[in-house]
């Protein structure tokens, strides 16, 4: 976009030349003029703080016509997108994956949202991750947008900064690097990823970084002075220093300098690399860009006493560590709760454990795109000893497939359902819980909609009888696990 159009007058105090606009703290509603028409290729950026109450961004032509309503709804586990024509709301589109990242702690409360303008739609990116759902440009042309309305809550910091083409602006303030990080469970303005479960043998920790020829380190800590692992990238010596210590008594007994580690990092494409640590009983194994390294690093103190991960950058102005993945704590299984999934890929497996109670009329596991679209409905019906498979499309059930429940499954007190996303459909297996090679039933069901549309899992139980609960465990492809309290 170029040039200022007189149809978009400046508000008092706004200028034409700023790159980013610092927003007033704690304002419930803010209106900001666009100074020229939006065109394909424009990008709008917003920085803010995620809250449990509803917040929104609106791109509008006037009060009765919205090109885009982008609404964070924590209580509905989704982001709702819509448009308004002549004061009438149109059809909603919902994205469930991103809210799941906030609610699970994968995203810190501080976030960075980008809205990309295309000829026929808007696409979105939060903290560098592209949203699966886009939003079409409907009845109103992109060029008709005149204002941005930001909705927050009076007295609470929600929207902190924005950047708009041919920017409006009050005095610019650079966004702190902490606000756009993609840590798992990172506290605000603190480069620590808190472990929400004790580390155990078999667990893994992963980190992604873009090396900028500045010294930086990845540290598994116990408190402030005990290092289970110090992975220190040192450009001055072209090495990675590996060490551990108690009470900062450097060097520790496992002190080592690895030039081969450093060489693998600097020869990575764009110097972007992936570090994975696996905790085995005999020590820590390390992988750089998927390649296992020839080292077994010893435990200086008990693994389960580690408290957090520290991502350190000697140059505070350069954020080299980008994101991390930590083991997930086991969470409480509640039948009425939806469980978030980003999307299903070929090979992904969902595993749920249940009880077979003949007196229950029916219970089901549903893989859902939204409340009106189920990619897969697996219903166990003890009343007539059948299993029903189906899909729900725009609120209407499709043709049902039924399978008889074998006697061995009827007699199983506890059983597992494994749902695997295959090349052309779902593979469904029922097996006896806790026993290998004891498959009770195998069946399949073709895809009737793209499995990448999966956004959440919903478990149903027609009786809602807590004394005869059905579902006991749930395991999702991202490693999340949910157990019912004993």
């Amino acid at each position: 976009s170029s040039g200022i159009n007189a149809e978009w007058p400046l508000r008092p105090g706004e200028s034409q030349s700023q790159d980013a606009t610092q927003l007033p703290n704690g304002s419930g509603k803010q209106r900001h003029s666009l100074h020229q028409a939006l065109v394909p290729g424009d990008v709008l950026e917003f920085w803010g703080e995620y809250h449990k109450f509803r917040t929104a961004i609106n791109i509008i032509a006037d009060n009765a016509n919205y090109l885009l309503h982008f609404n964070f709804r924590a209580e509905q586990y989704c982001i709702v997108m819509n448009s308004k024509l002549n004061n009438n709301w149109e059809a909603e589109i919902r994205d469930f994956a991103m809210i799941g990242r906030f609610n699970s702690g994968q995203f810190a409360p501080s976030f960075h949202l980008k809205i990309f303008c295309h000829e026929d739609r808007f696409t979105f990116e939060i903290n560098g991750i592209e949203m699966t759902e886009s939003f079409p440009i409907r009845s109103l042309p992109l060029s008709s947008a005149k204002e941005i309305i930001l909705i927050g809550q009076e007295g609470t910091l929600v929207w902190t900064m924005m950047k708009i083409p041919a920017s409006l602006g009050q005095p610019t303030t650079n966004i702190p690097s902490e606000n756009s990080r993609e840590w798992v469970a990172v506290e605000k303005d603190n480069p620590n990823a808190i472990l929400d479960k004790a580390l155990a043998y078999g667990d893994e920790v992963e980190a992604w970084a873009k090396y900028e020829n500045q010294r930086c380190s990845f540290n598994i800590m116990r408190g402030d002075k005990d290092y289970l692992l110090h992975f220190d990238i040192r450009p001055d010596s072209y090495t990675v220093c590996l060490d551990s210590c108690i009470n900062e008594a450097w060097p520790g007994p496992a002190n080592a300098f690895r030039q081969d580690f450093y060489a693998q990092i600097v020869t990575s494409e764009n110097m972007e690399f992936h570090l994975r640590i696996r905790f085995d009983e005999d020590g820590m194994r390390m992988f750089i860009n998927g390649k296992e390294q020839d080292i077994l690093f010893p435990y200086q103190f008990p693994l389960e006493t580690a408290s957090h991960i520290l991502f350190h950058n000697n140059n505070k102005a350069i954020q080299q560590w980008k994101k991390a993945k930590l083991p997930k704590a086991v969470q409480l299984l509640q039948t009425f709760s939806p469980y978030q999934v980003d999307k299903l890929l070929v090979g992904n497996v969902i595993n749920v454990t249940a009880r077979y109670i003949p007196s229950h009329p029916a219970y089901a596991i549903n893989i859902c795109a939204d409340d009106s679209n189920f990619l897969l409905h697996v219903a166990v019906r003890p009343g007539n000893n059948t299993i029903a498979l189906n899909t729900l499309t725009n609120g209407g059930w499709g043709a049902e497939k039924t399978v008889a429940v074998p006697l061995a499954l009827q007699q199983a007190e506890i059983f597992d359902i494994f749902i695997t996303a295959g090349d052309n459909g779902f593979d469904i297996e029922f097996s006896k819980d806790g026993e290998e090679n004891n498959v009770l039933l195998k069946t399949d069901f073709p895809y009737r909609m793209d499995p990448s549309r999966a956004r959440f899992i919903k478990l149903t139980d027609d009786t809602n009888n807590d004394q005869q609960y059905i579902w006991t465990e749930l395991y999702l492809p991202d490693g999340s696990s949910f157990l019912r309290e004993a």
Side-chain angles (χ1 to χ4, degrees), residues 19 31 33 131 160 200 203 213 295 376 424 435 464:
D19 184 55
R31 299 180 76 113
S33 296
M131 274 179 49
T160 58
D203 281 344
N213 286 310
I295 190 169
L376 179 66
N424 301 305
E435 297 186 20
N464 295 316

Side-chain angles (χ1 to χ4, degrees), residues 31 55-56 79 144 154 164 227 270 310 324 339 346 357 389 443 458:
R31 299 180 76 113
T55 57
I79 293 171
S144 67
E154 199 70 37
I164 293 175
Y227 292 73
N270 299 320
L310 170 65
Y339 299 93
V346 172
I357 299 179
L389 308 174
T443 187
K458 183 184 290 185

